[in-house]
Amino acid sequence: MTTASAQTAWAQTMDADFAKTVKQWTTKPEFMSPLVDHLPASTTIPSPKDILGNHIGAPNTLHYYDQIIGYYRALAAKSPRVKIIEIGKSEEGRENVVVMISSEENLAKLDSYKKNLALLADPRKLSAADAPGVIAATKPIYHLSGGLHSAETGPPEMLMELAYRLLTEDSAMIQGIRDNLVVAISPVLEADGRDRYVDWYYRNLIDEKDDRNKPGGPPYWGKYIYHDNNRDINFSDVSARHLLKYYLDWHPPIMHELHESVPFMYTYSGQAPQNPDLDPILFGELPWFSNFEMAQLTKYGMPGVWTHGFVDAWTPGYLAFMASNHNGMLRMYETFGNAGATTMLRHVAPEVQSSVRGGDWTKRDWYRPSPPYKEVVWSMRNNTNYMQTGVLTALDLAARFPGTILENFYKKSANGVEAGKSRPPYAYVIPAGQADPSRIAFVTNILQMQGIEIGRATQPVKVKEGSYPAGSLIIKLDQPYGRLAKMLLKKQDDYPDENLTTYDDAAWTMGMMTHTDIVEVADKAALDIAVTPVDRFVPQGRMPAAGARSYAVLDHGSVGMATLRFRLKDAGVRIVETAFKAGGTTVPAGSLLVDGAAYATLKPAVEQLGLEAVAVSGAPDVKAHESVLPRTAVFSTWGSSEKVGWLRYAFDQHETPYDLIFKEQVRAGDLRAKYDVIILPTQGRSTKDIVFDLPVKGKPLPYTKTDRYRFSGDYGSSDDVRGGMGLEGMVELRKFVEQGGTLITTGDASAVPVEFGLVDDITVTRTSGNFYAPGPIVTAKVLRPANPIFYGYDETTMPVRWASNALLGVPVRLKDRVLMQFPGGKDGVMSGFMRGAEQVKDRPAIVNIPQGQGRIVMFATNPIWRWQNLGEFRMLYNAVINWKQLGLTDVAPPEPAPIPAP
């Protein structure tokens, strides 16, 4: 018996069955540690086996969400060291909870700690002289979360055993953790996806032991966004919003997210590129923890524990990054996992070196002194041992230095306020009077959701950058979260080294992404602008009195115009093609002319959506077309639903009706009889993935709802998700277009019509060489501004997010088919960076191809990218709503020159 476990056994009775069983489940002795090779036996508090029937880490055993939450409820019913806080409901109605564990004395003082942590988070309310007293009277909250990514099945299992251990073990380490910390646990961050994945595991994966041929996971975790729930920078997901609100209520200085991927355990160090707007203290704290963990686990003889070399600290959009963004500390593990509970042989060494971030994981490096093995038999219990040992080590370190953690938290918060006072920029101004206030609402709602304070100027604003009217919104940076405001609003032009890759996007500038005018102010006088606090910016829609023959709803670019059109589905609506005057008001192209008989529907919609309408007397002498709403379908593969999920989310938010179709519906044919518009969003990693999808190998993979698998078959169902639409599907899509349908493709999916013969004369090439463009914001130039796709866009150049490495090519004789193009080059990069930008020069961004009786519109952009690039959304909505009029700017290609007579 190890020294640590012997010491614990001396004080307590240990569960002999646990020690024997988990030793059997651990595939090598070195994959166990003295921190987790034992478990106290309690006569009052139920162990996981008491409630669930097995110790944690049992082969072939995963637990559904209600079982997991039921276990924590059982702990709370028996132990005064547990408090459960309900923070909201998931998208599908499951309860989201936070479980707090500490000593009874600490839990009795939770409200006091909550109040004190709020003071430390806002040093404007706590002087430096008074801070030490508050710190001494406070215990830091160390928050742990698992299950954000549903295929990473180990953390929700491990956390149940950890909770029991923290409640029952009386070792000096555990007592120190209970006495000096409040440990908070989010049992499963993606509750909906947990159930769906466990269904899939039991039905399709439990017997799979070949890691090189094992099928992937289910088509969905949660309702929409799959793995990108950890890239949801604007908090579209309801559960993410609940966690953020909890964070701002409780201010845990540390949020530690538990993931699974690389062997055997990686602990986050905050490596370069580092966001320079985060406090420098953070970049000392992160390796302080990660190096201690690596040293301790390596001391226990556990191989494959490393830090650095994997995830950087540039992008602020990961979920638990909310801690670092708010002057706390994000921590993160990646522990080796099998995407289930089946023990299997794992081939660890990469087959293709260039495909692995950080190089070959099995090779020694300065940050990986004891590398993982090249092959290993890996079990769920191995995963539990590593992860729990790491977490206990981290908690031990935090418990040894609770005052330091709180001092740093307070100092980072104070530094944030001071940074806003001492160096530019000092503020951001959102000028009043912008044509589309709904974009301002989008931006300000997201900022305020994150605790950023916004004021409204009571007088006209005059700073060196310009003059702005009274009522303009001012975001002063001398506030605790001023640095977060700066991160989100500034131009990302300070990437430290373009030879460094980054784990996610290099740019996210909100003003550019939403096409909102936001002015960065380097004039310190901005801090003295008189403002009144803004609780919430709500656009005020304006609707004239009833009685007019018709009304014009002015198109100033709001996405609400699309929502309005669908709400008016039963009304007579025409869409203005050229601007005209109505009672002295300019009615722009794209505006809706609505029959006065629809007033009862029109008025509340205009007001709610923040739009503006004017009365139109008589029949205006203006070019306009009848608006015929399409029957719309959105195509998704079964194997790559995530980017389609973002489009579905936007469509649902903006009340855009559509059918979600899959290979089954496409291959069945007769598409034109059912649909007018089919959207083929970017998805998968190649055009081959879109067309052929999951390989047809192994056994069938059903995704259907049954009495046994009741969480499957949501958002579409299939008896076998393998295989794609195939060439048969391509034939049906071609028929659809030739018979008068409109096919719209986005991003990399725009290579599909070219590479599979749906269009002629267009080419596609791939970026090459040193090209690297991690989501920069680039300039796009509108070439055909009269096309309905650009209704609501006043400028002939606009910022768009770079979305594709497939470069479209159009011959000169078809140049009029190009509606928008990328100027390219370094000057074309507005935020972030693009290595090899000359390859993009003058490449098409949108191509509009008549084909048979229909047409194909290819966006090389991705007009709906996550819940971010709101400014581009309207282009896709315009293409859908005006599907019958997209040929307004068509120009016939020149006839070939006559052949000279012989």
Side-chain angles (χ1 to χ4, degrees), residues 235-270:
F235 295 93
S236 70
D237 181 71
V238 63
S239 295
R241 294 197 297 272
H242 294 155
L243 188 68
L244 177 62
K245 185 179 185 303
Y246 152 80
Y247 180 88
L248 293 173
D249 285 344
W250 287 89
H251 303 97
I254 300 175
M255 294 193 75
H256 190 157
E257 208 164 81
L258 303 172
H259 288 278
E260 291 180 355
S261 63
V262 295
F264 290 141
M265 194 181 89
Y266 160 84
T267 170
Y268 178 63
S269 70

Side-chain angles (χ1 to χ4, degrees), residues 455-478:
R456 189 187 305 275
T458 58
Q459 301 291 329
V461 174
K462 291 186 179 181
V463 289
K464 291 178 181 177
E465 286 75 12
S467 297
Y468 309 100
S472 295
L473 302 181
I474 314 295
I475 303 156
K476 300 180 182 182
L477 300 189
D478 60 341

Side-chain angles (χ1 to χ4, degrees), residues 153-167:
T153 54
E157 303 286 339
M158 182 281 290
L159 286 169
M160 289 189 283
E161 182 176 297
L162 176 73
Y164 176 80
R165 187 181 302 280
L166 293 176
L167 294 174

Side-chain angles (χ1 to χ4, degrees), residues 435-770:
D436 176 18
S438 69
R439 299 181 216 179
I440 297 175
F442 183 89
V443 170
T444 56
N445 288 347
I446 289 167
L447 296 178
Q448 290 182 303
M449 187 194 309
Q450 301 193 60
I452 294 167
E453 299 165 1
I454 302 175
R456 189 187 305 275
T458 58
Q459 301 291 329
V461 174
K462 291 186 179 181
V463 289
K464 291 178 181 177
E465 286 75 12
S467 297
Y468 309 100
S472 295
L473 302 181
I474 314 295
I475 303 156
K476 300 180 182 182
L477 300 189
D478 60 341
Q479 57 175 295
Y481 308 144
R483 288 188 292 200
L484 173 58
K486 179 184 175 185
M487 273 193 286
L488 295 175
L489 298 175
K490 67 178 277 189
K491 176 181 178 181
Q492 280 76 54
D493 59 358
D494 53 356
Y495 196 80
D497 182 352
E498 291 188 6
N499 291 315
L500 289 173
T501 60
T502 183
Y503 206 72
D504 198 58
D505 283 358
W508 50 85
T509 309
M510 288 188 76
M512 295 180 187
M513 282 283 201
T514 61
H515 295 191
T516 305
D517 184 15
I518 303 176
V519 181
E520 186 174 275
V521 178
D523 186 345
K524 198 169 185 177
L527 297 178
D528 298 323
I529 296 170
V531 299
T532 57
V534 174
D535 291 331
R536 183 177 176 87
F537 179 83
V538 180
Q540 299 299 312
R542 291 184 287 179
M543 184 73 197
R549 178 175 176 179
S550 63
Y551 296 88
V553 184
L554 309 184
D555 189 358
H556 294 303
S558 172
V559 175
M561 291 290 288
T563 305
L564 176 66
R565 180 63 196 95
F566 289 109
R567 288 189 186 179
L568 297 172
K569 62 182 184 298
D570 298 323
V573 177
R574 292 188 299 151
I575 299 179
V576 174
E577 296 177 6
T578 57
F580 74 100
K581 292 279 188 179
T585 299
T586 298
V587 178
S591 299
L592 305 184
L593 290 175
V594 184
D595 192 295
Y599 188 86
T601 302
L602 181 63
K603 182 179 188 298
V606 166
E607 292 176 345
Q608 180 191 356
L609 296 169
L611 302 172
E612 180 182 1
V614 297
V616 178
S617 59
D621 183 18
V622 61
K623 281 189 174 183
H625 56 258
E626 294 295 328
S627 177
V628 179
L629 290 177
R631 301 163 299 164
T632 303
V634 174
F635 173 79
S636 177
T637 56
W638 285 113
S640 186
S641 66
E642 179 170 272
K643 292 183 176 64
V644 181
W646 284 112
L647 187 146
R648 290 172 49 231
Y649 180 82
F651 274 24
D652 287 352
Q653 294 301 303
H654 298 130
E655 303 173 27
T656 304
Y658 63 95
D659 286 346
L660 186 62
I661 63 172
F662 301 88
K663 59 170 183 170
E664 289 84 355
Q665 289 78 25
V666 174
R667 294 175 72 167
D670 203 21
L671 295 171
R672 186 65 187 94
K674 304 166 189 172
Y675 302 111
D676 305 303
V677 172
I678 295 176
I679 302 172
L680 183 64
T682 187
Q683 54 198 289
R685 297 186 178 185
S686 67
T687 54
K688 179 182 176 182
D689 287 347
I690 295 173
V691 176
F692 298 109
D693 200 14
L694 300 171
V696 182
K697 62 181 181 180
K699 62 188 179 185
L701 298 174
Y703 179 68
T704 55
K705 194 174 296 294
T706 69
D707 291 341
R708 169 65 180 85
Y709 303 111
R710 56 197 178 95
F711 305 115
S712 301
D714 291 320
Y715 320 117
S717 65
S718 176
D719 292 328
D720 184 2
V721 299
R722 299 174 307 159
M725 71 169 94
L727 298 180
E728 304 97 314
M730 286 289 101
V731 170
E732 296 303 330
L733 287 178
R734 186 179 186 99
K735 290 179 185 176
F736 167 77
V737 173
E738 290 176 344
Q739 292 168 5
T742 296
L743 177 65
I744 301 172
T745 62
T746 70
D748 285 330
S750 289
V752 170
V754 179
E755 295 183 345
F756 286 87
L758 301 190
V759 296
D760 301 321
D761 300 318
I762 310 299
T763 61
V764 63
T765 56
R766 308 291 170 178
T767 55
S768 60
N770 199 36

Side-chain angles (χ1 to χ4, degrees), residues 125-455:
K125 301 174 182 177
L126 180 67
S127 70
D130 293 335
V134 172
I135 289 170
T138 309
K139 304 299 184 185
I141 298 174
Y142 193 117
H143 188 101
L144 296 158
S145 59
L148 179 62
H149 292 152
S150 302
E152 298 165 15
T153 54
E157 303 286 339
M158 182 281 290
L159 286 169
M160 289 189 283
E161 182 176 297
L162 176 73
Y164 176 80
R165 187 181 302 280
L166 293 176
L167 294 174
T168 59
E169 186 169 314
D170 288 337
S171 66
M173 172 190 281
I174 300 299
Q175 288 188 39
I177 292 169
R178 281 197 302 264
D179 290 344
N180 294 311
L181 300 175
V182 175
V183 178
I185 296 174
S186 286
V188 185
L189 286 172
E190 173 51 274
D192 302 335
R194 176 69 182 190
D195 283 345
R196 196 162 287 116
Y197 192 90
V198 173
D199 259 6
W200 181 268
Y201 171 74
Y202 281 130
R203 190 177 196 178
N204 294 317
L205 300 181
I206 193 168
D207 297 323
E208 296 291 338
K209 298 182 179 180
D210 182 349
D211 70 341
R212 288 178 170 168
N213 287 294
K214 184 172 74 71
Y220 302 98
W221 295 342
K223 183 174 182 179
Y224 292 111
I225 54 176
Y226 216 80
H227 198 279
D228 258 6
N229 58 7
N230 201 27
R231 309 292 189 275
D232 190 11
I233 191 171
N234 288 336
F235 295 93
S236 70
D237 181 71
V238 63
S239 295
R241 294 197 297 272
H242 294 155
L243 188 68
L244 177 62
K245 185 179 185 303
Y246 152 80
Y247 180 88
L248 293 173
D249 285 344
W250 287 89
H251 303 97
I254 300 175
M255 294 193 75
H256 190 157
E257 208 164 81
L258 303 172
H259 288 278
E260 291 180 355
S261 63
V262 295
F264 290 141
M265 194 181 89
Y266 160 84
T267 170
Y268 178 63
S269 70
Q271 71 184 57
Q274 296 173 338
N275 195 308
D277 294 311
L278 295 168
D279 194 291
I281 294 172
L282 173 69
F283 298 115
E285 292 176 309
L286 291 171
W288 173 37
F289 272 85
S290 63
N291 286 332
F292 181 69
E293 291 157 344
M294 182 171 66
Q296 291 295 93
L297 271 69
T298 302
K299 179 180 71 177
Y300 299 142
M302 304 176 82
V305 180
W306 54 293
T307 184
H308 210 70
F310 192 60
V311 180
D312 57 82
W314 176 256
T315 308
Y318 310 111
L319 183 60
F321 220 93
M322 68 176 69
S324 295
N325 288 342
H326 292 88
N327 304 312
M329 187 194 330
L330 157 72
R331 306 219 52 245
M332 186 265 289
Y333 291 164
E334 297 281 356
T335 308
F336 205 38
N338 292 344
T342 304
T343 301
M344 63 176 63
L345 174 66
R346 298 295 305 276
H347 300 85
V348 179
E351 293 182 285
V352 181
Q353 299 295 323
S354 62
S355 67
V356 178
R357 183 174 174 83
D360 184 346
W361 302 319
T362 64
K363 290 185 177 178
R364 189 188 185 282
D365 213 315
W366 66 266
Y367 51 83
R368 192 168 45 231
S370 177
Y373 306 149
K374 293 184 181 296
E375 288 187 353
V376 65
V377 175
W378 195 254
S379 68
M380 174 65 87
R381 187 63 214 187
N382 295 353
N383 173 283
T384 299
N385 293 339
Y386 268 78
M387 197 184 316
Q388 189 173 177
T389 301
V391 167
L392 287 169
T393 302
L395 293 174
D396 180 34
L397 181 60
R400 297 185 197 191
F401 297 96
T404 301
I405 289 167
L406 293 175
E407 288 168 8
N408 289 356
F409 182 51
Y410 175 73
K411 182 61 175 173
K412 286 182 287 186
S413 300
N415 289 348
V417 175
E418 184 59 30
K421 295 178 179 177
S422 60
R423 56 182 179 269
Y426 298 101
Y428 287 84
V429 175
I430 305 179
Q434 296 190 41
D436 176 18
S438 69
R439 299 181 216 179
I440 297 175
F442 183 89
V443 170
T444 56
N445 288 347
I446 289 167
L447 296 178
Q448 290 182 303
M449 187 194 309
Q450 301 193 60
I452 294 167
E453 299 165 1
I454 302 175

